[in-house]
C-alpha cells in the first residue's frame, strides 16, 4: 500500500542544540535504513521549510503507524497521511 506523507518538523528552542543534532543523526540513519529496505520509496524536501513529502510502501496502516512513530523526530512533527491508489491514466 502506498501513502503520501507530509512531515512538518518543529523542534522547540528549548531542546539543546547538541541534543537536537543527536536526534537528527538518528533520524537520518533510520530514514536511510527504511529507504534501503524499500519502505521509504521517495523523500522530497519542501523548499524553504523544515518539512518533506514522502512516499511509503507498506503492508498496512498499522505498519505505517509503526514506521512513523519510530522516527526519532516524531515527537516534533505534524504529520498528514494520504493513502494513494493507482490512477487509471498512469502508464507505469
Amino acid at each position: 500500500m502506498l501513502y503520501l506523507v507530509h512531515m512538518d518538523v518543529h523542534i522547540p528552542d528549548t531542546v539543546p542544540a547538541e541534543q537536537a543534532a543527536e536526534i537528527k543523526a538518528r533520524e537520518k540513519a533510520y530514514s536511510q535504513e527504511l529507504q534501503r529496505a524499500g519502505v521509504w520509496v521517495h523523500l522530497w524536501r519542501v523548499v524553504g521549510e523544515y518539512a518533506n513529502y514522502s512516499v511509503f510502501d507498506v503492508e498496512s496502516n498499522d505498519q505505517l503507524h509503526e514506521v512513523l512513530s519510530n522516527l526519532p523526530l516524531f515527537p516534533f512533527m505534524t504529520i498528514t497521511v494520504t493513502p494513494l491508489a493507482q490512477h487509471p491514466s498512469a502508464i507505469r
Side-chain angles (χ1 to χ4, degrees):
M1 299 174 68
L2 294 176
Y3 295 89
L4 176 67
V5 179
H6 179 243
M7 294 178 242
D8 198 0
V9 182
H10 299 282
I11 301 174
D13 294 338
T14 55
V15 175
E18 184 177 287
Q19 182 182 357
E22 186 271 330
I23 294 168
K24 291 176 190 178
R26 287 190 293 120
E27 179 86 7
K28 182 177 182 177
Y30 180 57
S31 71
Q32 289 179 348
E33 174 185 324
L34 291 169
Q35 290 172 67
R36 287 185 194 96
V39 171
W40 198 323
V41 181
H42 295 284
L43 173 56
W44 298 97
R45 172 178 294 179
V46 178
V47 175
E49 299 178 22
Y50 193 179
N52 72 74
Y53 280 96
S54 296
V55 176
F56 288 84
D57 187 0
V58 293
E59 293 184 17
S60 67
N61 295 335
D62 291 331
Q63 184 185 11
L64 180 63
H65 181 77
E66 181 180 341
V67 165
L68 295 177
S69 62
N70 283 323
L71 290 167
L73 285 170
F74 180 78
F76 309 111
M77 291 181 176
T78 301
I79 298 175
T80 305
V81 176
T82 305
L84 299 175
Q86 183 71 32
H87 194 284
S89 298
I91 60 172
R92 293 181 191 213

